[in-house]
C-alpha cells in the first residue's frame, strides 16, 4: 500500500520494466481489493499514453487491462480510445436486484455497469466478468437463465470464476435470497453446460494476454 498518488511516469516505469522482462506481459490497473481504479481514470489515461510511447519495438506489446466495477462508462470509453485492450468487470449476479443488494453502489447503478460492458465491446475490447460464485445462488436455475441472457446480449469473451469467500447465511440474508435445493443445477454442471452452449466463451481465473 502506498500513501501517495504516483505520476504517470512512475506508473509507466513499473509497467514497462515488467513488460520488457516477461513473456506475454499483462499490465493491469486495479485488483479488486485495492479500490476502484476508475477513480484515477485521468492518471491511468496519462500512464497508458506514456506506456505506449515507451515500449520496445522488439518486444511483444503488453496487454493493457483494467479490473473494475464498471461504474463510470464515460471513463471506460476514454481509456479504450487511447489504448486500453481489455476489461474485467466484477459481478456477483447478472440480475440488478441481487447485484445492488450486495454492492450497495454509491454514485452509480447496475445500468452503468452494463453500459461499461457494452462500450468495451463496441470499442473492440476483450471483456471478462469476474463472476463471484456462491453455491446455492450462482448455480440456481434462475441465475443460470439470467446469465445465458446476459451472455447472449453482451457477447462477453470470458468468465473468470471466483469463489465468493463470504459466510453463505449472511450473504443470502443480505441479497434476500432463499435457497431452494430443487432449483439448484450444481456449479460443475453449470460450467459444463455453458461450455456446450458457448464453445467460444473462455473460462478461467486470470486475465489472458491478447
Amino acid at each position: 500500500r502506498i500513501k501517495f498518488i504516483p505520476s504517470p511516469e512512475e506508473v509507466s516505469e513499473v509497467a514497462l520494466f515488467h513488460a520488457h522482462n516477461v513473456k506475454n506481459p499483462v499490465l493491469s490497473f486495479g485488483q479488486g481489493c485495492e479500490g476502484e481504479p476508475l477513480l484515477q481514470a485521468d492518471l491511468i489515461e496519462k500512464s497508458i499514453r506514456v506506456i505506449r510511447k515507451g515500449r520496445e519495438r522488439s518486444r511483444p506489446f503488453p496487454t493493457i487491462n483494467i479490473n473494475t466495477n464498471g461504474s463510470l462508462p464515460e471513463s471506460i470509453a476514454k481509456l479504450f480510445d487511447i489504448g486500453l485492450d481489455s476489461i474485467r468487470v466484477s459481478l456477483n449476479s447478472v440480475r440488478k436486484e441481487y447485484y445492488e443488494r450486495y454492492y450497495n453502489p454509491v454514485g452509480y447503478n447496475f445500468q452503468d455497469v452494463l453500459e461499461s460492458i457494452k462500450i468495451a465491446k463496441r470499442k473492440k475490447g476483450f471483456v471478462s466478468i469476474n463472476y463471484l460464485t456462491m453455491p446455492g445462488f450462482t448455480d440456481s436455475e434462475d441465475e443460470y437463465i439470467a446469465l445465458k441472457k446476459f451472455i447472449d446480449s453482451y457477447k462477453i469473451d470470458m468468465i473468470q470464476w471466483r469463489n465468493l469467500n463470504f459466510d453463505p447465511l449472511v450473504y443470502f440474508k443480505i441479497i434476500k435470497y432463499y435457497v431452494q435445493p430443487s432449483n439448484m443445477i450444481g456449479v460443475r454442471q453449470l460450467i459444463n453446460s455453458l461450455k456446450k452452449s458457448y464453445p467460444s466463451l473462455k473460462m478461467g481465473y486470470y486475465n489472458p494476454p491478447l
Side-chain angles (χ1 to χ4, degrees):
R1 298 293 185 265
I2 58 176
K3 296 183 179 180
F4 66 95
I5 299 174
S7 69
E9 290 72 25
E10 289 170 324
V11 173
S12 63
E13 181 181 4
V14 175
L16 288 170
F17 177 83
H18 175 71
H20 296 161
N21 285 281
V22 301
K23 184 179 179 180
N24 299 322
V26 177
L27 308 178
S28 192
F29 293 95
Q31 195 53 44
C33 58
E34 298 167 350
E36 175 50 47
L38 289 179
L39 297 178
Q40 292 291 337
D42 289 342
L43 169 63
I44 293 174
E45 179 181 347
K46 293 173 183 176
S47 299
I48 291 176
R49 292 184 187 278
V50 177
I51 290 167
R52 285 191 170 271
K53 287 181 180 179
R55 73 184 178 99
E56 292 182 2
R57 294 183 181 277
S58 60
R59 299 283 184 173
F61 188 72
T63 297
I64 303 177
N65 175 76
I66 188 168
N67 297 327
T68 175
N69 60 15
S71 54
L72 299 171
E74 291 183 3
S75 295
I76 292 293
K78 289 180 181 178
L79 292 177
F80 272 103
D81 285 341
I82 56 92
L84 190 68
D85 299 303
S86 65
I87 184 174
R88 190 188 80 189
V89 179
S90 292
L91 300 166
N92 70 311
S93 175
V94 294
R95 291 181 284 175
K96 180 179 185 291
E97 62 268 35
Y98 296 115
Y99 174 89
E100 294 192 345
R101 288 170 188 167
Y102 176 66
Y103 276 89
N104 289 316
V106 176
Y108 76 101
N109 56 45
F110 187 60
Q111 192 58 43
D112 292 320
V113 179
L114 297 180
E115 182 64 19
S116 290
I117 293 172
K118 186 185 298 183
I119 288 171
K121 289 301 298 182
R122 189 166 69 237
K123 301 287 185 179
K124 310 300 182 184
F126 185 92
V127 177
S128 302
I129 61 169
N130 188 45
Y131 202 30
L132 306 179
T133 302
M134 176 66 76
F137 173 74
T138 310
D139 57 335
S140 67
E141 187 174 353
D142 292 343
E143 181 72 8
Y144 171 63
I145 292 171
L147 178 59
K148 292 186 71 174
K149 289 180 180 178
F150 171 83
I151 295 169
D152 291 336
S153 296
Y154 294 94
K155 312 298 182 185
I156 62 171
D157 300 286
M158 183 177 187
I159 298 177
Q160 295 185 33
W161 299 90
R162 276 182 174 76
N163 297 331
L164 180 54
N165 294 320
F166 193 23
D167 185 320
L169 297 181
V170 175
Y171 180 65
F172 295 143
K173 184 177 181 180
I174 288 173
I175 65 172
K176 299 178 182 178
Y177 182 77
Y178 303 96
V179 178
Q180 302 177 36
S182 61
N183 190 35
M184 295 302 117
I185 297 171
V187 174
R188 182 178 297 175
Q189 290 81 358
L190 165 65
I191 294 173
N192 288 338
S193 179
L194 289 173
K195 287 180 178 179
K196 291 179 181 178
S197 297
Y198 305 97
S200 63
L201 180 65
K202 296 181 183 299
M203 307 279 183
Y205 198 76
Y206 299 105
N207 295 312
L210 304 180

